[in-house]
Amino acid sequence: MSEKEPTAPRSGERITIREVAQDAGVSVAAVSKVLRDAYGVSDALRAKVRASMAKLNYRPRASARGMRGRTYTIGLIFPDLRNPFFADIYAGVNSALERTQYQAMQGVNTTSGALNITSGALIEAMIDRQMDGLVVIGPNMETQALADLGARLPLVVLGQHNHAGDAFDTVNNDDQLGARLVVRHLVANGYSNIAMLSLSPQNSSIIQQREIGYRLEMMEQGCGDAINILRETQVLRDVQVSVRRLLSGADRPEAIFCWTDLMAFEAISVATEMGLSIPEDIAIVGYDNTMFCDLAQNSLTSVDQSGELLGLQAARLLVERIDGRTTAEHFMVPPRIVARASAGTRTEQE
Amino acid sequence: MSEKEPTAPRSGERITIREVAQDAGVSVAAVSKVLRDAYGVSDALRAKVRASMAKLNYRPRASARGMRGRTYTIGLIFPDLRNPFFADIYAGVNSALERTQYQAMQGVNTTSGALNITSGALIEAMIDRQMDGLVVIGPNMETQALADLGARLPLVVLGQHNHAGDAFDTVNNDDQLGARLVVRHLVANGYSNIAMLSLSPQNSSIIQQREIGYRLEMMEQGCGDAINILRETQVLRDVQVSVRRLLSGADRPEAIFCWTDLMAFEAISVATEMGLSIPEDIAIVGYDNTMFCDLAQNSLTSVDQSGELLGLQAARLLVERIDGRTTAEHFMVPPRIVARASAGTRTEQE
DNA sequence: TGTTCTACGTATATCGTTCTACAAAATTGA
DNA sequence: TCAATTTTGTAGAACGATATACGTAGAACA
C-alpha cells in the first residue's frame, strides 16, 4: 500500500516507459531505443520489448518525447478551410504519413488582411508545440519570411514557386502551364476574347506564374490584344461585384478564366442572374477541379492540380527533411485540364 | 567562452523560463506563476516579469508545460473536411479561443467504414499529445465510447443528442425542430409528397432526431401517407444512384428533404440531368445553409444551424470543463429555415 | 592465449516547465 | 507589542521520455 516507493509501478495512471522496461526485464534505455528504431538492439530484445508494449498497451507521450527528441507531429497550415481543394491535400498528407509514426495536426492561419507579418500566430503556436516540421500551404508570406521560418525548423511550402537557397522545399503544380492549358483549350473551342479573374493582393508567386502563363499563351495564340487581367479578393461579395462589372461592360469577354473553382462558381452565379447562358454567352473556367465541378448545375471546366499528390509529396519531403536532409528539393506536378460544358465549343454568335 | 557553466544563459537557443527569471531578478517559480495566472503574485512582480518576457520575446514550450500541467492545446476532430459547414464551426471555435491561451489543433478522423472502434487513431494521437480537451464533431461513435473518452479527458461533443451522465457536454442545433421547419415550409408552399434523403448508417442521434421530426411533422400536417425515408452514405456516386432511382420511380415525390447541402447539390445535379426543373418538377431542401446555397445555380432552401455559434459554444464549454467543471451542460441552438428558389411556391401541376 | 573490435545493453544526466512545501515579510487583531 | 493570519516569493523534486557515455560479452585476428 505504500505509495512512496520510487519504483512502485503506480497502476492508476498511464503506462510509462519505465513500466514497460520492468515488464520486459530490460533497461529504460533499451525500450527507448526500440521506440525510436535506434541502433544497437538485437532482434530478441526488440521482440521482448514489443511484446511488453503491446501487452501493457503502452503509448509514448509526445510531450515527454518532445523535451529531448521529436514529437512525431507535423503541422499543416491552411490559408482557408472553405475551399474543398484543401481536403484533397490533407488526404494526400495523411496517406503519406499512414505507415510512419508521424501525425499531422492542422490549423488555419487567419492573418486578417494582407499584413506582411513575419509569420502568423498559428505558426508560432505550432513552434511552441514542438512540431517536428511544417507544411505551409498557399502562404501569403514574403519569401524571406519563409526562409527565416525554414531556418528554424524543417519546412515544406506548397503553392509557392520562389526558392530561397536550401531553406525550404517546395511542392507545386506548374501554374504557368496550367494557365496556358486553359487559354489553349478556350482558343481551340473558338474563344479569343478571354479575361482572367486573378487574385488580389498579387503578392504570391503562384499568382504571378499563372498570370505569366495566361499572358504568354494569349500572345502566342494571337489574342494579345484581348489580354485583360483583373484582380479581386476571395471575398464573395467582391467577386460578385467584379464579375458583374466585367459582364456588363461594353466589351464583354467571351470567356473568363477564374482563379479558383470557388470564384468560378460565383461567376456562374452572377452570369445566371444576369440572364446570360453558359457557355453560349460567356464561358467560365476554374482551377482546382474540386468535386463541385462535376455537378450538372456547374459543369465547370477546370484545371486539375492533383491536390492529393501535392499533399503526399509535401509530407514525404518534410519527413525527409526531418530525417536530416539539408538541401532543398522542389517538386512540380503537371496540371491537366478537365473539360466540361462551361467552356464547350463556341456556337454561332448572334 | 566556457560553455559548461550550468547557469550560463546559452544565447544560441530558445529563451527559457530560467532566463526570464534571471532577467527579471526573480525565481523561476515566480515566472511560472505569472505565466499561469496563479495565485500569490504581486502587481509589481507581475509587471516586472511581463516586461522581461516581452523584452526577451519569451514563449513557453507546450511540451514542457505538458509534462506537469496543461499544454493549452485543444483538439478538434472533424468527420470530414469537404463540407464547408465545418469551416463555420472552426471559425466559431477560434473566435472563442482568441483571447485565451488555448490553441486549437484539428484533424480528421478517418474511420474507414462504419466500424464501432472505441475511438479512432486520431483521438489516440491527440491524447498522446496531451491535449487538454477535445471537441469531437459529428462522431459516429457509440454513446458508451464517448462516455469512456469523456472519463479520460474533458470532452465536448458537437452533433450528438444522447447524454451520458456527466461524462461530456453536448452542443447541437435542434435537429427535430429543423426537420419540422422544413416540412412546414414545404407544406406551406404547396408540397405534400415529401421524401427524406437521410444518412446511412443510421447510428447517430442527430439522424434519429431529424427523422423523428420529419415523421411527426408529416403526420401533423396530414401527409402521413407520404412519409418516405431513404438512407444513403455520403459517397457521391451512391447519392446519385439513390436520387436517380427516387426521381424515376412511378410515384415521384414533389420534394426531397436532403441530409446536407452537399447531398442536396447532388440531387439538384441529378434532377437537372434528368431534365426536371426545380422547383416546378421537384423541390429540394438542404441542411447547413452553407455558402454555396446562395449561388444562383443552386438557390437552395436550407436550414441554418449557425455553425459558428455551435463552435463558439463548444469551445466555451470545453474551457470550462478544463477549468474544473465536472457536471454536464448541454447547449442547443434553434435552427432557422432560409428560403430560396429551390423550394419556392408550388405552381400549377401539369 | 591475449588483444582488438563490434554489437548490444545499461546507468544517468537532461530537457523546460509545474507544483508542493516551506520560509519570509506584511498585515491584522487584541 | 506580540501572536496569528495572510500574502508574497523561493527551493527543488517531479513529469516521461531521449541521448550520451560507458561497460561487457562474444567474435575475429594474431
mmCIF file of all heavy atoms in Angstrom, chain A residues 195-215 227-235 237-243 245-246 256-260 263:
data_model
loop_
_atom_site.group_PDB
_atom_site.id
_atom_site.type_symbol
_atom_site.label_atom_id
_atom_site.label_comp_id
_atom_site.label_asym_id
_atom_site.label_seq_id
_atom_site.Cartn_x
_atom_site.Cartn_y
_atom_site.Cartn_z
ATOM 1 N N ALA A 195 -10.810 36.859 -70.623
ATOM 2 C CA ALA A 195 -10.344 37.656 -69.480
ATOM 3 C C ALA A 195 -9.876 36.728 -68.375
ATOM 4 O O ALA A 195 -10.302 35.574 -68.284
ATOM 5 C CB ALA A 195 -11.469 38.549 -68.975
ATOM 6 N N MET A 196 -8.994 37.252 -67.532
ATOM 7 C CA MET A 196 -8.544 36.451 -66.391
ATOM 8 C C MET A 196 -8.959 37.154 -65.108
ATOM 9 O O MET A 196 -8.658 38.330 -64.903
ATOM 10 C CB MET A 196 -7.023 36.281 -66.427
ATOM 11 C CG MET A 196 -6.485 35.517 -65.211
ATOM 12 S SD MET A 196 -4.715 35.205 -65.310
ATOM 13 C CE MET A 196 -4.454 34.188 -63.846
ATOM 14 N N LEU A 197 -9.641 36.417 -64.255
ATOM 15 C CA LEU A 197 -10.007 36.945 -62.940
ATOM 16 C C LEU A 197 -9.004 36.383 -61.945
ATOM 17 O O LEU A 197 -9.115 35.245 -61.498
ATOM 18 C CB LEU A 197 -11.433 36.509 -62.584
ATOM 19 C CG LEU A 197 -11.950 36.927 -61.210
ATOM 20 C CD1 LEU A 197 -11.839 38.427 -61.006
ATOM 21 C CD2 LEU A 197 -13.377 36.463 -61.015
ATOM 22 N N SER A 198 -8.024 37.193 -61.618
ATOM 23 C CA SER A 198 -6.928 36.746 -60.771
ATOM 24 C C SER A 198 -7.150 37.183 -59.327
ATOM 25 O O SER A 198 -8.197 37.730 -58.985
ATOM 26 C CB SER A 198 -5.616 37.296 -61.322
ATOM 27 O OG SER A 198 -4.526 36.806 -60.581
ATOM 28 N N LEU A 199 -6.142 36.927 -58.517
ATOM 29 C CA LEU A 199 -6.294 37.154 -57.086
ATOM 30 C C LEU A 199 -5.569 38.421 -56.636
ATOM 31 O O LEU A 199 -4.518 38.772 -57.138
ATOM 32 C CB LEU A 199 -5.739 35.950 -56.320
ATOM 33 C CG LEU A 199 -6.188 35.803 -54.883
ATOM 34 C CD1 LEU A 199 -7.671 35.555 -54.800
ATOM 35 C CD2 LEU A 199 -5.417 34.667 -54.211
ATOM 36 N N SER A 200 -6.151 39.062 -55.660
ATOM 37 C CA SER A 200 -5.553 40.245 -55.069
ATOM 38 C C SER A 200 -5.421 40.016 -53.567
ATOM 39 O O SER A 200 -6.318 39.431 -52.974
ATOM 40 C CB SER A 200 -6.446 41.449 -55.344
ATOM 41 O OG SER A 200 -6.115 42.508 -54.475
ATOM 42 N N PRO A 201 -4.394 40.417 -52.886
ATOM 43 C CA PRO A 201 -3.229 41.107 -53.427
ATOM 44 C C PRO A 201 -2.328 40.158 -54.215
ATOM 45 O O PRO A 201 -2.209 38.993 -53.878
ATOM 46 C CB PRO A 201 -2.513 41.594 -52.175
ATOM 47 C CG PRO A 201 -2.875 40.591 -51.136
ATOM 48 C CD PRO A 201 -4.283 40.185 -51.453
ATOM 49 N N GLN A 202 -1.703 40.688 -55.215
ATOM 50 C CA GLN A 202 -0.922 39.871 -56.124
ATOM 51 C C GLN A 202 0.499 39.714 -55.604
ATOM 52 O O GLN A 202 1.464 40.085 -56.242
ATOM 53 C CB GLN A 202 -0.937 40.554 -57.507
ATOM 54 C CG GLN A 202 -0.284 39.764 -58.601
ATOM 55 C CD GLN A 202 0.553 40.668 -59.467
ATOM 56 O OE1 GLN A 202 0.854 41.792 -59.091
ATOM 57 N NE2 GLN A 202 0.952 40.170 -60.628
ATOM 58 N N ASN A 203 0.647 39.149 -54.414
ATOM 59 C CA ASN A 203 1.983 39.065 -53.827
ATOM 60 C C ASN A 203 2.557 37.656 -53.834
ATOM 61 O O ASN A 203 3.601 37.399 -53.275
ATOM 62 C CB ASN A 203 1.947 39.583 -52.388
ATOM 63 C CG ASN A 203 0.941 38.819 -51.563
ATOM 64 O OD1 ASN A 203 0.302 37.896 -52.061
ATOM 65 N ND2 ASN A 203 0.802 39.184 -50.309
ATOM 66 N N SER A 204 1.830 36.757 -54.460
ATOM 67 C CA SER A 204 2.307 35.385 -54.398
ATOM 68 C C SER A 204 2.839 34.935 -55.752
ATOM 69 O O SER A 204 2.353 35.347 -56.803
ATOM 70 C CB SER A 204 1.156 34.476 -53.949
ATOM 71 O OG SER A 204 1.258 33.227 -54.561
ATOM 72 N N SER A 205 3.822 34.075 -55.694
ATOM 73 C CA SER A 205 4.453 33.638 -56.934
ATOM 74 C C SER A 205 3.529 32.758 -57.770
ATOM 75 O O SER A 205 3.663 32.704 -58.985
ATOM 76 C CB SER A 205 5.730 32.878 -56.618
ATOM 77 O OG SER A 205 5.436 31.793 -55.762
ATOM 78 N N ILE A 206 2.605 32.065 -57.137
ATOM 79 C CA ILE A 206 1.714 31.253 -57.962
ATOM 80 C C ILE A 206 0.802 32.170 -58.773
ATOM 81 O O ILE A 206 0.447 31.858 -59.897
ATOM 82 C CB ILE A 206 0.874 30.220 -57.157
ATOM 83 C CG1 ILE A 206 0.059 30.860 -56.054
ATOM 84 C CG2 ILE A 206 1.735 29.140 -56.591
ATOM 85 C CD1 ILE A 206 -0.876 29.851 -55.371
ATOM 86 N N ILE A 207 0.443 33.279 -58.191
ATOM 87 C CA ILE A 207 -0.377 34.234 -58.936
ATOM 88 C C ILE A 207 0.418 34.765 -60.119
ATOM 89 O O ILE A 207 -0.065 34.808 -61.258
ATOM 90 C CB ILE A 207 -0.826 35.386 -58.013
ATOM 91 C CG1 ILE A 207 -1.601 34.816 -56.828
ATOM 92 C CG2 ILE A 207 -1.663 36.392 -58.790
ATOM 93 C CD1 ILE A 207 -2.073 35.856 -55.849
ATOM 94 N N GLN A 208 1.637 35.163 -59.827
ATOM 95 C CA GLN A 208 2.481 35.677 -60.908
ATOM 96 C C GLN A 208 2.645 34.644 -62.015
ATOM 97 O O GLN A 208 2.507 34.955 -63.194
ATOM 98 C CB GLN A 208 3.856 36.076 -60.351
ATOM 99 C CG GLN A 208 3.815 37.340 -59.514
ATOM 100 C CD GLN A 208 4.986 37.427 -58.542
ATOM 101 O OE1 GLN A 208 5.943 36.664 -58.647
ATOM 102 N NE2 GLN A 208 4.886 38.344 -57.595
ATOM 103 N N GLN A 209 2.940 33.425 -61.622
ATOM 104 C CA GLN A 209 3.165 32.376 -62.616
ATOM 105 C C GLN A 209 1.942 32.164 -63.498
ATOM 106 O O GLN A 209 2.035 32.033 -64.712
ATOM 107 C CB GLN A 209 3.521 31.063 -61.915
ATOM 108 C CG GLN A 209 4.925 31.027 -61.362
ATOM 109 C CD GLN A 209 5.958 31.158 -62.458
ATOM 110 O OE1 GLN A 209 5.928 30.434 -63.446
ATOM 111 N NE2 GLN A 209 6.865 32.116 -62.327
ATOM 112 N N ARG A 210 0.795 32.143 -62.851
ATOM 113 C CA ARG A 210 -0.401 31.869 -63.626
ATOM 114 C C ARG A 210 -0.705 33.031 -64.566
ATOM 115 O O ARG A 210 -1.125 32.828 -65.701
ATOM 116 C CB ARG A 210 -1.585 31.601 -62.690
ATOM 117 C CG ARG A 210 -2.256 30.277 -63.003
ATOM 118 C CD ARG A 210 -3.413 30.007 -62.093
ATOM 119 N NE ARG A 210 -3.052 29.188 -60.947
ATOM 120 C CZ ARG A 210 -3.902 28.868 -59.975
ATOM 121 N NH1 ARG A 210 -5.149 29.301 -60.010
ATOM 122 N NH2 ARG A 210 -3.503 28.120 -58.960
ATOM 123 N N GLU A 211 -0.447 34.233 -64.079
ATOM 124 C CA GLU A 211 -0.691 35.399 -64.936
ATOM 125 C C GLU A 211 0.285 35.418 -66.109
ATOM 126 O O GLU A 211 -0.083 35.758 -67.236
ATOM 127 C CB GLU A 211 -0.586 36.687 -64.113
ATOM 128 C CG GLU A 211 -1.732 36.842 -63.117
ATOM 129 C CD GLU A 211 -1.704 38.178 -62.375
ATOM 130 O OE1 GLU A 211 -0.825 39.013 -62.673
ATOM 131 O OE2 GLU A 211 -2.578 38.378 -61.500
ATOM 132 N N ILE A 212 1.514 35.039 -65.831
ATOM 133 C CA ILE A 212 2.506 34.980 -66.906
ATOM 134 C C ILE A 212 2.072 33.969 -67.957
ATOM 135 O O ILE A 212 2.110 34.238 -69.162
ATOM 136 C CB ILE A 212 3.896 34.610 -66.345
ATOM 137 C CG1 ILE A 212 4.459 35.766 -65.517
ATOM 138 C CG2 ILE A 212 4.857 34.239 -67.464
ATOM 139 C CD1 ILE A 212 5.720 35.421 -64.751
ATOM 140 N N GLY A 213 1.662 32.817 -67.472
ATOM 141 C CA GLY A 213 1.213 31.779 -68.398
ATOM 142 C C GLY A 213 0.069 32.268 -69.269
ATOM 143 O O GLY A 213 0.052 32.043 -70.485
ATOM 144 N N TYR A 214 -0.868 32.922 -68.638
ATOM 145 C CA TYR A 214 -2.009 33.473 -69.377
ATOM 146 C C TYR A 214 -1.537 34.462 -70.450
ATOM 147 O O TYR A 214 -1.891 34.373 -71.621
ATOM 148 C CB TYR A 214 -2.955 34.149 -68.386
ATOM 149 C CG TYR A 214 -3.965 35.100 -68.983
ATOM 150 C CD1 TYR A 214 -5.116 34.628 -69.619
ATOM 151 C CD2 TYR A 214 -3.766 36.482 -68.904
ATOM 152 C CE1 TYR A 214 -6.047 35.507 -70.151
ATOM 153 C CE2 TYR A 214 -4.693 37.368 -69.417
ATOM 154 C CZ TYR A 214 -5.831 36.878 -70.045
ATOM 155 O OH TYR A 214 -6.743 37.746 -70.566
ATOM 156 N N ARG A 215 -0.687 35.410 -70.022
ATOM 157 C CA ARG A 215 -0.195 36.449 -70.936
ATOM 158 C C ARG A 215 0.532 35.835 -72.130
ATOM 159 O O ARG A 215 0.252 36.146 -73.291
ATOM 160 C CB ARG A 215 0.780 37.366 -70.194
ATOM 161 C CG ARG A 215 0.136 38.442 -69.392
ATOM 162 C CD ARG A 215 1.072 39.667 -69.348
ATOM 163 N NE ARG A 215 0.328 40.857 -68.962
ATOM 164 C CZ ARG A 215 0.074 41.176 -67.690
ATOM 165 N NH1 ARG A 215 0.505 40.399 -66.716
ATOM 166 N NH2 ARG A 215 -0.619 42.266 -67.417
ATOM 167 N N ILE A 227 -5.828 40.606 -73.926
ATOM 168 C CA ILE A 227 -5.341 40.353 -72.570
ATOM 169 C C ILE A 227 -5.986 41.310 -71.584
ATOM 170 O O ILE A 227 -5.993 42.519 -71.793
ATOM 171 C CB ILE A 227 -3.802 40.488 -72.511
ATOM 172 C CG1 ILE A 227 -3.159 39.286 -73.202
ATOM 173 C CG2 ILE A 227 -3.325 40.583 -71.054
ATOM 174 C CD1 ILE A 227 -1.642 39.352 -73.285
ATOM 175 N N ASN A 228 -6.557 40.746 -70.547
ATOM 176 C CA ASN A 228 -7.291 41.553 -69.576
ATOM 177 C C ASN A 228 -7.300 40.823 -68.246
ATOM 178 O O ASN A 228 -8.010 39.845 -68.067
ATOM 179 C CB ASN A 228 -8.728 41.779 -70.085
ATOM 180 C CG ASN A 228 -9.557 42.541 -69.081
ATOM 181 O OD1 ASN A 228 -9.024 43.172 -68.174
ATOM 182 N ND2 ASN A 228 -10.878 42.489 -69.253
ATOM 183 N N ILE A 229 -6.467 41.327 -67.342
ATOM 184 C CA ILE A 229 -6.398 40.703 -66.024
ATOM 185 C C ILE A 229 -7.033 41.620 -64.997
ATOM 186 O O ILE A 229 -6.640 42.782 -64.883
ATOM 187 C CB ILE A 229 -4.941 40.443 -65.615
ATOM 188 C CG1 ILE A 229 -4.263 39.483 -66.604
ATOM 189 C CG2 ILE A 229 -4.867 39.875 -64.194
ATOM 190 C CD1 ILE A 229 -2.830 39.157 -66.260
ATOM 191 N N LEU A 230 -8.019 41.130 -64.286
ATOM 192 C CA LEU A 230 -8.460 41.917 -63.129
ATOM 193 C C LEU A 230 -8.305 41.056 -61.892
ATOM 194 O O LEU A 230 -8.408 39.833 -61.959
ATOM 195 C CB LEU A 230 -9.874 42.469 -63.288
ATOM 196 C CG LEU A 230 -11.070 41.553 -63.271
ATOM 197 C CD1 LEU A 230 -12.328 42.373 -63.041
ATOM 198 C CD2 LEU A 230 -11.184 40.829 -64.593
ATOM 199 N N ARG A 231 -8.034 41.751 -60.795
ATOM 200 C CA ARG A 231 -7.713 41.023 -59.568
ATOM 201 C C ARG A 231 -8.724 41.349 -58.486
ATOM 202 O O ARG A 231 -9.122 42.481 -58.313
ATOM 203 C CB ARG A 231 -6.307 41.388 -59.099
ATOM 204 C CG ARG A 231 -5.259 41.167 -60.164
ATOM 205 C CD ARG A 231 -3.852 41.331 -59.670
ATOM 206 N NE ARG A 231 -2.923 41.088 -60.780
ATOM 207 C CZ ARG A 231 -2.467 42.037 -61.580
ATOM 208 N NH1 ARG A 231 -2.828 43.291 -61.388
ATOM 209 N NH2 ARG A 231 -1.643 41.730 -62.570
ATOM 210 N N GLU A 232 -9.067 40.329 -57.778
ATOM 211 C CA GLU A 232 -10.073 40.513 -56.741
ATOM 212 C C GLU A 232 -9.728 39.633 -55.541
ATOM 213 O O GLU A 232 -9.034 38.634 -55.667
ATOM 214 C CB GLU A 232 -11.450 40.137 -57.328
ATOM 215 C CG GLU A 232 -12.630 40.636 -56.545
ATOM 216 C CD GLU A 232 -12.436 42.064 -56.087
ATOM 217 O OE1 GLU A 232 -12.698 42.990 -56.884
ATOM 218 O OE2 GLU A 232 -12.034 42.243 -54.933
ATOM 219 N N THR A 233 -10.217 40.010 -54.359
ATOM 220 C CA THR A 233 -10.013 39.170 -53.171
ATOM 221 C C THR A 233 -10.930 37.961 -53.261
ATOM 222 O O THR A 233 -11.753 37.865 -54.158
ATOM 223 C CB THR A 233 -10.363 39.946 -51.889
ATOM 224 O OG1 THR A 233 -11.755 40.242 -51.904
ATOM 225 C CG2 THR A 233 -9.575 41.242 -51.817
ATOM 226 N N GLN A 234 -10.798 37.062 -52.302
ATOM 227 C CA GLN A 234 -11.627 35.863 -52.309
ATOM 228 C C GLN A 234 -13.004 36.138 -51.705
ATOM 229 O O GLN A 234 -13.865 35.270 -51.682
ATOM 230 C CB GLN A 234 -10.959 34.755 -51.485
ATOM 231 C CG GLN A 234 -9.595 34.338 -52.001
ATOM 232 C CD GLN A 234 -9.634 32.952 -52.622
ATOM 233 O OE1 GLN A 234 -10.629 32.531 -53.207
ATOM 234 N NE2 GLN A 234 -8.526 32.241 -52.505
ATOM 235 N N VAL A 235 -13.189 37.343 -51.167
ATOM 236 C CA VAL A 235 -14.464 37.661 -50.512
ATOM 237 C C VAL A 235 -15.602 37.586 -51.533
ATOM 238 O O VAL A 235 -15.535 38.191 -52.602
ATOM 239 C CB VAL A 235 -14.417 39.061 -49.881
ATOM 240 C CG1 VAL A 235 -15.749 39.390 -49.212
ATOM 241 C CG2 VAL A 235 -13.269 39.142 -48.892
ATOM 242 N N ARG A 237 -18.608 38.796 -51.899
ATOM 243 C CA ARG A 237 -19.269 39.983 -52.420
ATOM 244 C C ARG A 237 -18.379 40.720 -53.430
ATOM 245 O O ARG A 237 -18.850 41.193 -54.462
ATOM 246 C CB ARG A 237 -19.660 40.901 -51.269
ATOM 247 C CG ARG A 237 -20.719 41.931 -51.608
ATOM 248 C CD ARG A 237 -21.509 42.345 -50.384
ATOM 249 N NE ARG A 237 -22.170 41.213 -49.760
ATOM 250 C CZ ARG A 237 -23.352 40.714 -50.182
ATOM 251 N NH1 ARG A 237 -23.961 41.251 -51.242
ATOM 252 N NH2 ARG A 237 -23.894 39.700 -49.558
ATOM 253 N N ASP A 238 -17.101 40.780 -53.113
ATOM 254 C CA ASP A 238 -16.167 41.448 -54.017
ATOM 255 C C ASP A 238 -16.138 40.754 -55.375
ATOM 256 O O ASP A 238 -16.134 41.409 -56.420
ATOM 257 C CB ASP A 238 -14.755 41.447 -53.420
ATOM 258 C CG ASP A 238 -14.680 42.286 -52.152
ATOM 259 O OD1 ASP A 238 -15.649 43.028 -51.878
ATOM 260 O OD2 ASP A 238 -13.670 42.180 -51.444
ATOM 261 N N VAL A 239 -16.104 39.426 -55.334
ATOM 262 C CA VAL A 239 -16.074 38.668 -56.577
ATOM 263 C C VAL A 239 -17.325 38.958 -57.401
ATOM 264 O O VAL A 239 -17.251 39.221 -58.601
ATOM 265 C CB VAL A 239 -15.978 37.150 -56.294
ATOM 266 C CG1 VAL A 239 -16.051 36.354 -57.585
ATOM 267 C CG2 VAL A 239 -14.693 36.834 -55.547
ATOM 268 N N GLN A 240 -18.442 38.951 -56.735
ATOM 269 C CA GLN A 240 -19.704 39.235 -57.428
ATOM 270 C C GLN A 240 -19.658 40.578 -58.136
ATOM 271 O O GLN A 240 -19.993 40.683 -59.311
ATOM 272 C CB GLN A 240 -20.857 39.238 -56.424
ATOM 273 C CG GLN A 240 -21.355 37.852 -56.064
ATOM 274 C CD GLN A 240 -22.441 37.907 -55.000
ATOM 275 O OE1 GLN A 240 -22.944 38.984 -54.690
ATOM 276 N NE2 GLN A 240 -22.777 36.752 -54.456
ATOM 277 N N VAL A 241 -19.228 41.576 -57.395
ATOM 278 C CA VAL A 241 -19.185 42.929 -57.955
ATOM 279 C C VAL A 241 -18.276 42.967 -59.181
ATOM 280 O O VAL A 241 -18.633 43.506 -60.236
ATOM 281 C CB VAL A 241 -18.709 43.939 -56.887
ATOM 282 C CG1 VAL A 241 -18.440 45.297 -57.516
ATOM 283 C CG2 VAL A 241 -19.743 44.050 -55.776
ATOM 284 N N SER A 242 -17.111 42.372 -59.032
ATOM 285 C CA SER A 242 -16.150 42.387 -60.137
ATOM 286 C C SER A 242 -16.703 41.690 -61.368
ATOM 287 O O SER A 242 -16.594 42.200 -62.497
ATOM 288 C CB SER A 242 -14.863 41.673 -59.719
ATOM 289 O OG SER A 242 -13.962 42.582 -59.159
ATOM 290 N N VAL A 243 -17.273 40.531 -61.160
ATOM 291 C CA VAL A 243 -17.780 39.769 -62.299
ATOM 292 C C VAL A 243 -18.927 40.523 -62.962
ATOM 293 O O VAL A 243 -19.017 40.622 -64.184
ATOM 294 C CB VAL A 243 -18.238 38.363 -61.859
ATOM 295 C CG1 VAL A 243 -18.931 37.647 -63.002
ATOM 296 C CG2 VAL A 243 -17.058 37.557 -61.359
ATOM 297 N N ARG A 245 -19.424 43.690 -63.033
ATOM 298 C CA ARG A 245 -18.893 44.815 -63.790
ATOM 299 C C ARG A 245 -18.303 44.319 -65.122
ATOM 300 O O ARG A 245 -18.538 44.882 -66.180
ATOM 301 C CB ARG A 245 -17.831 45.557 -62.978
ATOM 302 C CG ARG A 245 -17.417 46.878 -63.623
ATOM 303 C CD ARG A 245 -16.367 47.616 -62.796
ATOM 304 N NE ARG A 245 -16.713 47.697 -61.389
ATOM 305 C CZ ARG A 245 -15.891 47.361 -60.402
ATOM 306 N NH1 ARG A 245 -14.685 46.905 -60.679
ATOM 307 N NH2 ARG A 245 -16.271 47.460 -59.148
ATOM 308 N N LEU A 246 -17.571 43.229 -64.996
ATOM 309 C CA LEU A 246 -16.928 42.676 -66.191
ATOM 310 C C LEU A 246 -17.960 42.274 -67.237
ATOM 311 O O LEU A 246 -17.794 42.537 -68.443
ATOM 312 C CB LEU A 246 -16.094 41.455 -65.779
ATOM 313 C CG LEU A 246 -15.222 40.808 -66.855
ATOM 314 C CD1 LEU A 246 -14.140 41.781 -67.293
ATOM 315 C CD2 LEU A 246 -14.590 39.527 -66.324
ATOM 316 N N ILE A 256 -14.155 33.746 -69.196
ATOM 317 C CA ILE A 256 -13.430 34.188 -68.010
ATOM 318 C C ILE A 256 -12.683 32.998 -67.417
ATOM 319 O O ILE A 256 -13.261 31.941 -67.179
ATOM 320 C CB ILE A 256 -14.369 34.749 -66.923
ATOM 321 C CG1 ILE A 256 -15.294 35.822 -67.497
ATOM 322 C CG2 ILE A 256 -13.552 35.340 -65.774
ATOM 323 C CD1 ILE A 256 -16.251 36.393 -66.460
ATOM 324 N N PHE A 257 -11.406 33.222 -67.206
ATOM 325 C CA PHE A 257 -10.559 32.223 -66.559
ATOM 326 C C PHE A 257 -10.424 32.643 -65.101
ATOM 327 O O PHE A 257 -9.803 33.655 -64.801
ATOM 328 C CB PHE A 257 -9.200 32.202 -67.283
ATOM 329 C CG PHE A 257 -8.112 31.444 -66.569
ATOM 330 C CD1 PHE A 257 -8.390 30.328 -65.786
ATOM 331 C CD2 PHE A 257 -6.779 31.836 -66.723
ATOM 332 C CE1 PHE A 257 -7.375 29.638 -65.140
ATOM 333 C CE2 PHE A 257 -5.759 31.147 -66.088
ATOM 334 C CZ PHE A 257 -6.058 30.053 -65.287
ATOM 335 N N CYS A 258 -11.025 31.882 -64.209
ATOM 336 C CA CYS A 258 -11.091 32.292 -62.803
ATOM 337 C C CYS A 258 -9.984 31.661 -61.960
ATOM 338 O O CYS A 258 -9.513 30.561 -62.248
ATOM 339 C CB CYS A 258 -12.438 31.907 -62.207
ATOM 340 S SG CYS A 258 -13.829 32.641 -63.062
ATOM 341 N N TRP A 259 -9.638 32.366 -60.905
ATOM 342 C CA TRP A 259 -8.528 31.940 -60.065
ATOM 343 C C TRP A 259 -8.769 30.582 -59.420
ATOM 344 O O TRP A 259 -7.887 29.737 -59.376
ATOM 345 C CB TRP A 259 -8.246 32.992 -58.988
ATOM 346 C CG TRP A 259 -7.150 32.570 -58.088
ATOM 347 C CD1 TRP A 259 -7.258 32.167 -56.804
ATOM 348 C CD2 TRP A 259 -5.766 32.466 -58.428
ATOM 349 N NE1 TRP A 259 -6.029 31.806 -56.317
ATOM 350 C CE2 TRP A 259 -5.097 31.989 -57.295
ATOM 351 C CE3 TRP A 259 -5.033 32.738 -59.592
ATOM 352 C CZ2 TRP A 259 -3.722 31.760 -57.283
ATOM 353 C CZ3 TRP A 259 -3.657 32.516 -59.570
ATOM 354 C CH2 TRP A 259 -3.023 32.031 -58.441
ATOM 355 N N THR A 260 -9.952 30.379 -58.871
ATOM 356 C CA THR A 260 -10.292 29.086 -58.276
ATOM 357 C C THR A 260 -11.681 28.684 -58.727
ATOM 358 O O THR A 260 -12.446 29.492 -59.231
ATOM 359 C CB THR A 260 -10.328 29.133 -56.737
ATOM 360 O OG1 THR A 260 -11.237 30.149 -56.350
ATOM 361 C CG2 THR A 260 -8.980 29.400 -56.134
ATOM 362 N N MET A 263 -14.330 30.889 -57.132
ATOM 363 C CA MET A 263 -14.596 32.138 -57.851
ATOM 364 C C MET A 263 -15.401 31.846 -59.111
ATOM 365 O O MET A 263 -16.298 32.608 -59.483
ATOM 366 C CB MET A 263 -13.276 32.815 -58.215
ATOM 367 C CG MET A 263 -12.659 33.582 -57.058
ATOM 368 S SD MET A 263 -11.153 34.408 -57.637
ATOM 369 C CE MET A 263 -10.913 35.650 -56.364
#
